[in-house]
Amino acid sequence: MSQSNLQTPVSRLGQWLASPLNPRQYLELINPLWANRCCGEVVAIRRETDAAVTLEINPNHLWNGAVSGQYVRLGIDVEGVRYWRCYSVASAQMPTDRTFSVTIGRVDGGRVSTHIQDALRVGDVIALDQATGDFTLPTSASQTPLLFISAGTGVTPIAGMLRHLRDTGVEADVVHLHYAPDQRRCLFAEELAAFNQLSSFRTHQLYTRADGAAKSSSHFSLQQLSAICPDWAERKAYVCGPVPLMDAVRQVWSDGNLSEQLTEECFQPVRADVPTGAGGQVSFWKAGSEVAGAGDKSLLEVAEDAGLLPAHGCRMGICQGCIVTLKEGQVRDLTTGDVFGEAGESIRICVCAAAGDVTIDL
Amino acid sequence: MNAPLTLSAEQIKQFESQTGLPYNLSDEQVQSFGAEIEALRGRIMSTLGERDARYIRKVIKAQRWLEIGGRGLLFAGILPPAWLAGTAMLGAAKIIENMEIGHNVMHGQWDWMRDPQIHSSTWEWDTVCPSSDWKHSHNHLHHKWTNVVGMDRDVGYGILRMSEEQKWTPYHLGQPVWNLLLAVFFEWGVALHDLETEKLASGEKTWKESVPFLKGVWKKVKKQTLKDYVLFPLLAGPFFLPVLAGNFTANIIRNLWTYMIIFCGHFPAGVTHFTPKDVENEDKARWYIRQLLGSANIRGGKLMNLMSGNLSFQIEHHLFPGMASNRYAEASIEVEKICQKYGLPYNAHGLGRQFGTTLARVFRLSLPNRRDTVTA
């Protein structure tokens, strides 16, 4: 008899005995990782720079693992309230029974990143969501020449991919350009430099704000790219970093009619640089409640502050995990500044704010 | 005829013409009372945080261990001390689950933590009443229309006559007996609350209309019965009967206790009942005053607060149904001060007085109203 056949009647009996709860809600009294929700224990915290730490996380049995370069949402409790944030998996691809790591930079005034840096402790259990995203290596990495461009903490998903290639011994042809202010503030500086010892890897750390001779670079430009990597146009390219870098890189590839070869990963929401409107009353159709929604605050945040738990993913308008039907009124897309909305239309509540009174199907 | 000790009909009419309610406050005072209560709510709600999250998680953990301990001891229930202790622990665990955890979580008191496992949208409690039915009949009807006869079905649950405003019929002569049955089988009374038996009896509603509702209740009843009265006893093997008896007794203990706490909330001497006319054009300040006048607290210690799910602060719970229950104690100090300032009654007494006068009401109202009171 297979194990699953054995487990089914037993686990069903457990469900009946534990009703209305789940048996795992009793098991988690003994070990929090036995819960019936996806979660992980922080097993190590490593300081990378003054402003960044790496968390080593031991996920429970419900986590499905991650492919290098994907991102994962962590649910961190700050002052008793759970906040979800997306972080790239920085470790090499792993089987589901191993730990994984994320590297988190401090965001000035950022509630969650500050809490992680200052208050999170080894042994804490945090909520997890499944890893997702398509910022990943091609299936034929050994036959495809690769180019990675990153800046700041944008290096984390790329570090994950590089570590995966290194650890699995894939002979990939890799060029990596990484921009950091200076060596002190460069994430994984030593490890990145060590990649050059691998025959097929070339990594370049470009310090844009160091003093004197240490200042090795200006910001990204086509001229610089061509000098470092003359065959850039023949490579499959990946870029991850702050908005100005992303814009500059996208422009170069688009000018060369090569946009299809470029894969992008943005780690901060791109908000339109336009004045936002006045907002309005936000009504929740299913919950039957109503609160004020500011014109520059996403409907997702408005709903969360009202005590609702809307399903969502990336929180920056990419993954479509937060789609909700608009019942009445109009919304402003915070990434473009456009005001739109017809009753029945699907909207991404993580990047849309109230533009006047709105009713949404939550 | 003796002079009435309470307000005369003329006096009440006079107050009602001024304020719409039987108390003597100017409209300005009513609004300023409302503003003070609202400010208190804001002050406490803005300080919810880590400490409160730790509290509810601690209570949930302790409750689950208590339940495991109780059920474990009942497996040795052939020994009388183990049976008694196991039954008491399981009864206490069910009380805490229903009162301090389930009832309050379903009010959304902990929704601010955004933890889907402790959230009003997901919580299912350990009674035969499905949580979705409860959220409608209790959170919406009872809390909005508290003590308004004809609108709040908690005024007697459609079974008892608990207010002079309710019409007397000879059926009510048996009220002391109905009351006892309701107390013993309280969870079933709560589950069938929305069946609106009085409307079925009068023909206003048909049984056919009630089928979907009853199906929902049946689904929950099946699970609860299977667990307490079939599976756990079977699991005990030769000790089937002691476990069955222990589970049954624990459920009855829970029923009697929750009945008593809930009846002490709105029926002790001194609480006011209202008519639909009283709530016409009611604003937020007047709503606060109605919640205050229609509710009563039980003075007791920390154990009473925990075991009553902090409904020992029924007044505060009715003023602030969405506030985390562990904060009612500190709110009550302020609310009582504000009431003193405005000369409003604050009905807080020991359990003996509150339950004694509640039972007295059950007996008194089983008979028709005496003619020499309000209608004189």
Side-chain angles (χ1 to χ4, degrees):
Chain A
M1 202 191 285
S2 76
Q3 206 186 351
S4 64
N5 281 343
L6 256 178
Q7 266 179 354
T8 314
V10 171
S11 66
R12 197 173 297 165
L13 177 66
Q15 302 267 343
W16 286 335
L17 289 173
S19 172
L21 297 178
N22 181 290
R24 291 196 165 273
Q25 287 174 291
Y26 292 95
L27 291 176
E28 72 176 313
L29 296 171
I30 302 162
N31 180 342
L33 291 185
W34 295 346
N36 65 334
R37 64 190 177 103
C38 198
C39 60
E41 183 187 358
V42 178
V43 290
I45 301 177
R46 284 191 300 276
R47 183 150 289 285
E48 301 285 354
T49 67
D50 290 348
V53 292
T54 293
L55 306 181
E56 190 84 31
I57 296 167
N58 175 29
N60 72 352
H61 66 288
L62 291 171
W63 202 63
N64 296 335
V67 174
S68 303
Q70 287 190 313
Y71 65 88
V72 58
R73 285 196 315 143
L74 305 187
I76 309 276
D77 289 358
V78 183
E79 277 301 310
V81 182
R82 183 155 307 163
Y83 296 92
W84 288 94
R85 293 291 183 272
C86 299
Y87 297 106
S88 291
V89 174
S91 49
Q93 200 159 312
M94 83 242 39
T96 53
D97 59 346
R98 288 243 310 271
T99 62
F100 70 96
S101 71
V102 291
T103 298
I104 296 162
R106 186 193 292 272
V107 178
D108 284 334
R111 186 172 12 215
V112 177
S113 69
T114 308
H115 177 87
I116 288 172
Q117 306 254 340
D118 300 342
L120 201 68
R121 296 282 172 265
V122 169
D124 286 356
V125 172
I126 58 177
L128 290 181
D129 201 352
Q130 302 299 345
T132 183
D134 46 16
F135 194 68
T136 53
L137 289 166
T139 41
S140 54
S142 57
Q143 279 117 54
T144 316
L146 303 170
L147 168 62
F148 297 105
I149 302 171
S150 60
T153 50
V155 71
T156 51
I158 289 168
M161 290 190 261
L162 294 176
R163 286 164 173 165
H164 175 68
L165 292 172
R166 177 194 64 196
D167 295 353
T168 51
V170 176
E171 291 275 310
D173 176 3
V174 171
V175 176
H176 179 202
L177 276 62
H178 177 56
Y179 295 86
D182 52 38
Q183 189 170 10
R184 192 172 54 82
R185 285 180 275 180
C186 178
L187 275 174
F188 317 131
E190 283 175 28
E191 191 182 358
L192 291 178
F195 279 120
N196 279 322
Q197 289 160 11
L198 300 168
S199 59
S200 61
F201 281 41
R202 276 179 296 142
T203 67
H204 302 266
Q205 280 131 289
L206 307 159
Y207 300 131
T208 53
R209 283 187 215 157
D211 297 328
K215 180 178 164 81
S216 56
S217 168
S218 54
H219 287 290
F220 173 85
S221 66
L222 173 60
Q223 200 182 6
Q224 187 186 55
L225 175 67
S226 305
I228 297 174
C229 181
D231 63 349
W232 64 271
E234 278 123 58
R235 290 173 178 270
K236 178 167 171 55
Y238 295 81
V239 60
C240 182
V243 176
L245 173 81
M246 306 284 291
D247 288 346
V249 170
R250 192 182 302 117
Q251 190 63 51
V252 168
W253 261 257
S254 142
D255 289 349
N257 261 334
L258 296 166
S259 294
E260 280 183 15
Q261 278 172 234
L262 180 69
T263 307
E264 300 176 36
E265 179 85 321
C266 194
F267 62 80
Q268 48 187 198
V270 189
R271 293 217 161 166
D273 193 15
V274 290
T276 49
Q281 283 298 110
V282 180
S283 305
F284 303 110
W285 182 261
K286 291 192 197 107
S289 53
E290 186 181 309
V291 291
D296 59 353
K297 189 171 185 178
S298 76
L299 292 170
L300 174 60
E301 291 171 291
V302 172
E304 285 180 338
D305 286 350
L308 273 58
L309 294 171
H312 65 279
C314 67
R315 305 185 75 101
M316 49 199 257
I318 295 169
C319 76
Q320 312 288 315
C322 64
I323 296 287
V324 166
T325 307
L326 187 64
K327 289 280 186 186
E328 267 174 39
Q330 289 210 305
V331 295
R332 182 184 304 273
D333 186 329
L334 295 170
T335 64
T336 61
D338 295 343
V339 172
F340 69 99
E342 293 286 328
E345 194 168 345
S346 296
I347 56 167
R348 297 168 301 170
I349 55 171
C350 71
V351 287
C352 286
D357 295 350
V358 289
T359 303
I360 55 175
D361 194 16
L362 273 180
Chain B
M1 200 196 297
N2 292 333
L5 290 170
T6 50
L7 301 175
S8 72
E10 277 100 322
Q11 277 174 311
I12 288 178
K13 252 186 209 145
Q14 198 188 342
F15 287 160
E16 281 180 345
S17 64
Q18 289 163 5
T19 66
L21 282 170
Y23 51 80
N24 194 8
L25 288 182
S26 70
D27 194 50
E28 206 173 303
Q29 284 171 312
V30 167
Q31 294 309 321
S32 125
F33 170 83
E36 286 199 44
I37 295 289
E38 184 59 36
L40 171 63
R41 191 189 74 87
R43 239 179 7 252
I44 294 181
M45 294 297 277
S46 68
T47 59
L48 289 173
E50 184 72 33
R51 180 169 66 100
D52 307 279
R54 265 207 305 274
Y55 169 80
I56 191 65
R57 293 207 169 96
K58 196 175 75 183
V59 171
I60 288 173
K61 265 190 183 171
Q63 185 276 330
R64 287 180 189 165
W65 277 120
L66 193 63
E67 184 187 348
I68 291 170
R71 291 196 188 275
L73 272 176
L74 275 175
F75 276 18
I78 199 75
L79 307 168
W83 189 88
L84 285 173
T87 303
M89 281 166 72
L90 184 58
K94 280 176 179 273
I95 287 169
I96 295 169
E97 198 280 341
N98 288 180
M99 305 292 273
E100 180 62 339
I101 306 172
H103 166 256
N104 293 336
V105 169
M106 286 192 291
H107 263 293
Q109 292 182 7
W110 302 97
D111 285 3
W112 59 272
M113 300 199 304
R114 301 184 197 158
D115 181 345
Q117 306 236 331
I118 311 177
H119 198 270
S120 62
S121 63
T122 60
W123 195 272
E124 189 57 70
W125 57 348
D126 185 11
T127 97
V128 291
C129 175
S131 64
S132 51
D133 292 346
W134 170 264
K135 278 184 273 188
H136 169 73
S137 66
H138 179 80
N139 290 7
H140 180 63
L141 295 183
H142 170 58
H143 273 272
K144 189 166 178 191
W145 302 115
T146 311
N147 283 24
V148 180
V149 175
M151 295 168 93
D152 174 10
R153 300 195 61 261
D154 280 25
V155 184
Y157 293 84
I159 300 171
L160 303 177
R161 180 169 179 261
M162 295 304 289
S163 166
E164 277 86 353
E165 305 284 353
Q166 285 168 306
K167 195 169 167 281
W168 181 87
T169 67
Y171 158 86
H172 293 113
L173 285 170
Q175 170 149 304
V177 179
W178 318 148
N179 176 61
L180 181 66
L181 290 172
L182 178 63
V184 173
F185 299 106
F186 195 58
E187 71 170 316
W188 299 90
V190 170
L192 297 177
H193 198 237
D194 273 3
L195 186 59
E196 304 182 301
T197 41
E198 74 283 8
K199 286 190 187 166
L200 285 172
S202 69
E204 199 182 323
K205 208 171 142 182
T206 66
W207 280 99
K208 210 174 164 187
E209 286 172 66
S210 305
V211 168
F213 165 77
L214 286 169
K215 273 189 179 159
V217 175
W218 174 239
K219 225 172 120 188
K220 184 83 192 286
V221 168
K222 261 194 313 200
K223 286 186 186 166
Q224 290 294 113
T225 315
L226 187 68
K227 165 179 77 159
D228 278 343
Y229 300 138
V230 181
L231 293 179
F232 273 109
L234 277 178
L235 218 58
F239 309 127
F240 182 93
L241 281 178
V243 171
L244 179 74
N247 290 352
F248 180 76
T249 312
N251 277 324
I252 301 295
I253 293 173
R254 182 269 320 272
N255 288 349
L256 291 171
W257 175 261
T258 51
Y259 153 84
M260 181 172 68
I261 295 300
I262 287 161
F263 268 57
C264 283
H266 302 291
F267 307 125
V271 295
T272 312
H273 291 93
F274 305 86
T275 64
K277 202 176 136 273
D278 293 331
V279 293
E280 277 171 22
N281 305 318
E282 185 181 60
D283 57 19
K284 188 77 199 233
R286 277 157 215 273
W287 183 85
Y288 275 139
I289 290 185
R290 177 160 56 84
Q291 300 302 328
L292 167 74
L293 298 178
S295 309
N297 285 6
I298 304 166
R299 289 207 199 275
K302 284 196 169 155
L303 186 64
M304 168 60 85
N305 295 343
L306 173 70
M307 298 308 283
S308 69
N310 278 293
L311 291 185
S312 47
F313 300 108
Q314 187 78 248
I315 293 172
E316 286 69 27
H317 175 57
H318 266 268
L319 294 173
F320 316 123
M323 180 183 288
S325 59
N326 62 322
R327 297 299 194 93
Y328 287 154
E330 67 180 273
S332 74
I333 299 168
E334 301 297 318
V335 171
E336 194 169 1
K337 275 189 206 153
I338 296 170
C339 288
Q340 270 169 7
K341 183 172 155 190
Y342 289 88
L344 288 167
Y346 186 83
N347 191 334
H349 300 277
L351 181 62
R353 187 270 184 190
Q354 300 298 55
F355 192 52
T357 56
T358 296
L359 283 184
R361 182 190 294 264
V362 170
F363 280 83
R364 192 177 71 241
L365 293 183
S366 66
L367 300 172
N369 291 346
R370 285 167 56 190
R371 292 193 170 275
D372 60 354
T373 54
V374 178
T375 47

